[in-house]
Amino acid sequence: MKEWIGKNRDREVKMQVEKAVQEILQKDKPERVTLRKVGFMTVLKALLEHTLDKLPLTKTYLQQTVESVEMFQDRRIRWAIAVLEQRGEEVKAWKIMQIAGLRNNCLERVEKIISSTFRTQL
């Protein structure tokens, strides 16, 4: 009986976490998906930080969803490209970096994403 209650709780928590992640991803300006942010949004921060091992469905989902810094930078770069295209402006690396709030050490990453984005559109 106790195991059944745990599985139900895990499903409930996972649903709340999925909803919070979707809210983060749907914001106009990108925000990084982190365990801390999801925890605050769901009011389950302590549960997620201390007992995540007891919630295998939620843990697996978060492992697949929480963004590293590099993943977030890539998403911001793609977002900045979309912003420039929407404005009808020329897509230039320096403009992307400015909109995405990236430093010069990300120039190579920006150029790589620009080339892969426009190569797939051809």
Side-chain angles (χ1 to χ4, degrees), residues 84-98:
L84 288 172
E85 287 178 330
Q86 197 173 40
R87 292 178 185 169
E89 294 182 31
E90 190 174 356
V91 176
K92 299 242 183 215
W94 69 268
K95 285 183 179 182
I96 292 168
M97 291 173 62
Q98 185 179 42

Side-chain angles (χ1 to χ4, degrees), residues 23-122:
E23 286 178 29
I24 294 169
L25 293 174
Q26 290 175 356
K27 293 191 178 203
D28 290 337
K29 186 174 180 182
E31 290 184 19
R32 184 173 167 204
V33 178
T34 63
L35 181 67
R36 179 182 171 102
K37 185 170 288 178
V38 170
F40 278 122
M41 289 179 72
T42 58
V43 194
L44 299 171
K45 184 176 175 287
L47 179 78
L48 295 177
E49 288 180 349
H50 300 294
T51 59
L52 193 56
D53 287 334
K54 295 179 182 178
L55 303 167
L57 294 174
T58 305
K59 182 178 181 178
T60 301
Y61 177 75
L62 284 169
Q63 287 172 334
Q64 296 168 351
T65 309
V66 167
E67 293 176 307
S68 67
V69 171
E70 292 80 16
M71 290 166 65
F72 179 53
Q73 287 173 342
D74 289 353
R75 188 160 61 90
R76 279 196 334 228
I77 292 166
R78 287 184 179 83
W79 167 78
I81 290 170
V83 166
L84 288 172
E85 287 178 330
Q86 197 173 40
R87 292 178 185 169
E89 294 182 31
E90 190 174 356
V91 176
K92 299 242 183 215
W94 69 268
K95 285 183 179 182
I96 292 168
M97 291 173 62
Q98 185 179 42
I99 292 170
L102 299 172
R103 296 186 178 157
N104 288 338
N105 62 349
C106 295
L107 181 60
E108 205 172 296
R109 170 182 258 116
V110 170
E111 290 172 343
K112 182 179 174 184
I113 291 175
I114 290 171
S115 67
S116 71
T117 299
F118 289 105
R119 192 174 327 125
T120 58
Q121 289 180 357
L122 297 176

